[in-house]
Amino acid sequence: LLAERGVVLPEGTPAAATEAPPASGSNAFSWPSVSGAVLQRTRAGRGGKTVTIVRGIDDAHLTDAARALKKALGVGATVEEGGVVVQGDQVDRLRAWLSKAGVRRVVGE
């Protein structure tokens, strides 16, 4: 994989170093297990800063979902209020990404 991206490795580098790391085990978050998500844009109680809240994710998987969204969208995300709070007005990006990730129904602003 690294060679495909144009990264030059020193001679004698083991082949395992050029492959992608394995998936993070059985506790990895699976978006298809989420049947629907509700997106809500709000500024209330946040000093005028806009955030987007994603609801509809099982409470047991909120932390994994926040981690996946942070990595996928490159924004801050945390678990609050029974949902995942994503920094900024990300409704359009979240709707597109969740749909592509296999969430069957995405509703919201």
Side-chain angles (χ1 to χ4, degrees), residues 2 13-21:
L2 294 175
T13 302
T18 63
E19 298 175 7

Side-chain angles (χ1 to χ4, degrees), residues 1 5 29 31 34 36-37 39 43 56 62 70 80 83 87 91 98 104 109:
L1 285 171
R5 294 181 186 157
F29 185 70
W31 285 104
V34 176
L39 305 178
R43 281 190 273 182
L62 285 173
K70 280 197 277 192
E80 284 181 23
Q87 292 178 351
V91 172
L98 289 169
R104 286 181 238 124
E109 301 173 5

Side-chain angles (χ1 to χ4, degrees), residues 65-89:
R67 188 175 300 124
L69 288 172
K70 280 197 277 192
K71 185 174 182 180
L73 300 176
V75 296
T78 187
V79 176
E80 284 181 23
E81 305 170 2
V84 178
V85 178
V86 180
Q87 292 178 351
D89 182 0

Side-chain angles (χ1 to χ4, degrees), residues 6-45:
V7 176
V8 179
L9 299 173
E11 285 190 41
T13 302
T18 63
E19 298 175 7
S24 61
S26 63
N27 63 353
F29 185 70
S30 173
W31 285 104
S33 69
V34 176
S35 62
V38 178
L39 305 178
Q40 175 187 7
R41 183 183 308 127
T42 184
R43 281 190 273 182

